[in-house]
Amino acid sequence: MHWKQTNSSKNLIKNLKNFNCRFSSPVFPGETIVTEMWKNGNVINFQSKVKERDKIILKNIEMSVKMKQNNIDRIIKKDIESISRIDKKNC
């Protein structure tokens, strides 16, 4: 699985303190992966599922970072804007 890195997400990864995840189901070629993200303080949680089957494929994803809260918010906002631009190009 590959995470498209933006300049802001590289900074987030550079400050990574801990990362946990569980692969819970396979992904087949051509399927669309949807990732949901939320944060709790300096912990960012993710969950990914296959859109076509509504099946969770990655769960309990938890990423702890050594950064100030407002920096985390700024990075997440930039990444979401970047992903939105990529999705619009691919439509």
Side-chain angles (χ1 to χ4, degrees):
M1 182 152 286
H2 175 71
W3 176 13
K4 178 170 176 18
Q5 289 186 349
T6 62
N7 287 334
S8 56
S9 63
K10 287 177 187 175
N11 192 29
L12 193 64
I13 291 168
K14 186 173 86 175
N15 288 287
L16 186 64
K17 189 169 142 184
N18 186 33
F19 184 85
N20 294 310
C21 102
R22 179 172 180 259
F23 290 87
S24 56
S25 185
V27 178
F28 302 105
E31 290 185 318
T32 306
I33 299 172
V34 176
T35 300
E36 301 162 336
M37 179 186 342
W38 61 97
K39 68 179 183 58
N40 236 343
N42 283 16
V43 176
I44 302 168
N45 299 95
F46 301 85
Q47 172 177 290
S48 295
K49 59 184 172 183
V50 172
K51 183 178 179 178
E52 293 81 3
R53 295 183 284 138
D54 195 33
K55 179 82 172 171
I56 295 175
I57 55 162
L58 285 172
K59 62 183 179 180
N60 302 334
I61 306 169
E62 186 177 283
M63 185 167 99
S64 302
V65 291
K66 307 173 279 188
M67 296 180 89
K68 291 183 179 179
Q69 188 65 43
N70 59 345
N71 289 341
I72 295 170
D73 293 342
R74 184 177 43 77
I75 288 169
I76 290 173
K77 183 179 178 191
K78 276 186 176 180
D79 277 357
I80 289 170
E81 289 168 357
S82 173
I83 290 166
S84 294
R85 283 192 301 273
I86 292 168
D87 286 347
K88 287 176 186 171
K89 286 180 192 175
N90 292 334
C91 291

